[in-house]
Amino acid sequence: MTDRVVIRPLRMDEREAWEPLWQDYLTFYKSSVPDETTAVTWQRFHDDAEPMYVLGAFVDDNLTGIVHFLYHRSCWTVGNYCYLQDLFVNEGARGHGVGRKLIEAVYERAKAAGASRVHWLTQFENARAQILYDEVADRSGFMQYRKIL
């Protein structure tokens, strides 16, 4: 399947194909966001003034995976970091290299943009994804703490 995967930025007119994957991603993590947040997120992906991006993985012209990423400053480097915020592949396409291709596409874009690292989070229970993540990146050894405001 990987030889048939095409990774590219999603166009503004492809929201209808993107949104079901986005909703499936939120469902996977037992989460939801207001419709307004989804609409603003989609707009940000297509606003040149925003540091947020979306790529899609297409197999035979069907959108099978998405990745969202953004750039942010760091006190540890002069260049930006790249945060891979969301990665989702349709259940039927998992295990066929689609997620790896999406991550590698983010790596390429981050390197071209001068970012010094790509980082992301996953849940401890997401063992299937961690098999891939352990192959394509290093565990940081840090745990996330947060306070919802």
Side-chain angles (χ1 to χ4, degrees), residues 66-132:
I66 55 173
V67 66
H68 306 150
F69 61 102
L70 56 99
Y71 296 106
H72 65 91
R73 301 280 188 223
S74 170
C75 295
W76 292 71
T77 63
V78 174
N80 285 334
Y81 284 174
C82 177
Y83 178 50
L84 190 159
Q85 188 165 33
D86 310 305
L87 174 69
F88 185 79
V89 175
N90 273 341
E91 181 70 37
R94 292 181 193 157
H96 296 286
V98 176
R100 179 185 301 269
K101 284 203 163 233
L102 284 164
I103 292 168
E104 289 172 349
V106 172
Y107 287 169
E108 290 172 17
R109 282 161 177 78
K111 186 174 182 179
S116 62
R117 93 169 38 161
V118 175
H119 64 107
W120 64 91
L121 305 168
T122 195
Q123 287 182 329
F124 290 114
E125 297 82 18
N126 195 355
R128 185 170 182 187
Q130 289 175 45
I131 293 168
L132 169 62

Side-chain angles (χ1 to χ4, degrees), residues 13-31:
D13 66 344
E14 293 178 307
R15 179 175 173 179
E16 190 174 308
W18 164 82
E19 195 161 345
L21 292 173
W22 171 235
Q23 293 302 325
D24 287 349
Y25 173 81
L26 293 170
T27 299
F28 178 83
Y29 280 111
K30 298 176 178 73
S31 189

Side-chain angles (χ1 to χ4, degrees), residues 15 18-19 22-23 26 32-44:
R15 179 175 173 179
W18 164 82
E19 195 161 345
W22 171 235
Q23 293 302 325
L26 293 170
S32 65
V33 297
D35 291 342
E36 177 187 19
T37 301
T38 294
V40 169
T41 296
W42 184 252
Q43 290 298 320
R44 286 176 175 163

